[in-house]
Amino acid sequence: MTNHPEKRDHERYEARQTISYRLTSSTEYKKGTTRNLSKTGFLLESDETIPEGESLDLSIRIDDTPVHFKGRCIHSVQPDAGPALSGVLVLKISTAGMVPFLSFIDNLEAQQQTNRSAMDNVVQRIASEHKIITQYVMVIQGILADAKTGSSSMELETVLDLMQKELSTHFYIEEKLLFKTGLIHLPAKFHGLIAELTHEHSELETALNQIIEAVQGLEADEGILAKGLDVQIEDYLTSLKHHATRELMELFPILESNEKAVQKLTQAVGEIVNG
């Protein structure tokens, strides 16, 4: 048992949901309850203390849809009274359950955003989009890791199609809201950065389309590892993460430090929220 503060990268939302889980070293499923949830993890209440580092198979129902997870206990606490508390990191979500689960978290987030300012909402919306994309990256990496044992290319195609839709929406919001505001209100010396990021959007969309076409073109007896497709996908994910890092580390701080840009974004988001 380890007793230390919980560390996480993504905001969690209070939600009590019944969840079935089993340690991968066991065949017995047990019941627990989530205390909070995010797209990448949750706090689990259970009758037993789950060992730190233990791998877990988990299942939760979202709107009558079973969502299956693979996760890992990253810390556990046994209070003097009450259930044990375990922080669970989500490693992989079933393809069929990904959309309902992410939508459920989005709804929890939307409820919390009603008490935030318009500017907070746009920051949270874009941050949420980045979190969703991060989740897709994790799932795809999991599929590639399983490819050596015969993971289905159909599963990969499904996840890539879903990620393509998310990226298209994400890029549109950034270009029409953030980038446009930056071009109008930021000094000209930053316009080159915005142009580069816009060009990267186009390159990333084109590259993803090519990957999806390649996956669709696989023969029945060809696996994901055929034709170096796994390397191509890994390179794409690296480029996507590099692009997201540039936005977060280079552009966003500049926008946030510019009063006129902040005012314009606040006004624009206010019109969206109220319109």
Side-chain angles (χ1 to χ4, degrees):
M1 178 180 69
T2 303
N3 191 349
H4 54 69
E6 185 176 358
K7 298 179 180 179
R8 66 177 75 106
D9 295 326
H10 305 310
E11 186 171 3
R12 292 188 182 178
Y13 307 100
E14 183 176 351
R16 301 190 69 82
Q17 298 284 322
T18 300
I19 190 167
S20 299
Y21 73 92
R22 74 174 179 88
L23 281 60
T24 54
S25 57
S26 171
T27 59
E28 180 184 2
Y29 273 90
K30 299 180 180 180
K31 294 291 185 182
T33 304
T34 65
R35 179 173 288 189
N36 56 46
L37 285 166
S38 79
K39 291 185 173 74
T40 57
F42 51 87
L43 185 62
L44 173 67
E45 295 182 357
S46 59
D47 292 334
E48 65 177 349
T49 301
I50 299 175
E52 184 174 320
E54 183 73 36
S55 296
L56 301 165
D57 290 325
L58 309 107
S59 179
I60 190 172
R61 296 192 72 84
I62 303 294
D63 295 331
D64 294 327
T65 300
V67 180
H68 301 287
F69 302 89
K70 289 188 180 297
R72 183 173 67 249
C73 177
I74 56 176
H75 71 80
S76 61
V77 177
Q78 178 62 67
D80 293 334
L85 301 175
S86 302
V88 177
L89 175 67
V90 173
L91 300 177
K92 186 176 181 181
I93 304 177
S94 61
T95 303
M98 178 177 288
V99 171
F101 178 71
L102 294 179
S103 296
F104 179 73
I105 300 299
D106 284 341
N107 288 335
L108 293 177
E109 183 179 39
Q111 293 172 17
Q112 181 167 316
Q113 284 183 349
T114 57
N115 296 322
R116 291 178 172 151
S117 69
M119 187 59 193
D120 286 337
N121 279 338
V122 71
V123 172
Q124 287 297 319
R125 172 63 186 272
I126 294 170
S128 176
E129 294 286 347
H130 274 275
K131 294 173 190 176
I132 293 173
I133 293 167
T134 298
Q135 184 68 60
Y136 278 112
V137 169
M138 292 173 60
V139 171
I140 292 170
Q141 288 175 329
I143 293 174
L144 292 179
D146 293 341
K148 295 180 180 179
T149 59
S151 181
S152 169
S153 61
M154 184 175 296
E155 180 184 14
L156 177 61
E157 181 182 345
T158 299
V159 176
L160 288 173
D161 282 338
L162 291 171
M163 187 172 77
Q164 183 184 46
K165 294 181 176 64
E166 292 287 353
L167 277 178
S168 179
T169 300
H170 177 68
F171 290 165
Y172 179 84
I173 291 173
E174 287 187 331
E175 291 175 14
K176 297 300 181 182
L177 196 59
L178 289 184
F179 293 2
K180 184 177 180 180
T181 300
L183 289 173
I184 294 173
H185 297 286
L186 292 182
K189 65 180 180 180
F190 297 118
H191 292 183
L193 171 61
I194 296 173
E196 290 175 9
L197 293 174
T198 303
H199 181 65
E200 287 179 8
H201 280 182
S202 177
E203 289 185 326
L204 287 166
E205 288 187 305
T206 299
L208 183 55
N209 287 336
Q210 292 172 344
I211 289 173
I212 292 174
E213 289 177 1
V215 173
Q216 292 172 338
L218 289 174
E219 300 293 338
D221 59 344
E222 290 182 315
I224 297 172
L225 302 182
K227 303 175 182 177
L229 190 54
D230 56 325
V231 176
Q232 184 180 352
I233 294 172
E234 286 286 5
D235 288 345
Y236 177 82
L237 297 180
T238 298
S239 297
L240 181 61
K241 288 186 285 187
H242 175 71
H243 171 78
T245 299
R246 290 195 70 192
E247 290 180 338
L248 292 171
M249 302 302 293
E250 297 180 38
L251 179 61
F252 290 5
I254 298 170
L255 284 170
E256 290 176 344
S257 65
N258 185 283
E259 184 177 350
K260 288 184 178 179
V262 170
Q263 290 175 348
K264 184 63 178 179
L265 284 171
T266 302
Q267 178 185 348
V269 177
E271 292 172 354
I272 294 172
V273 172
N274 298 321

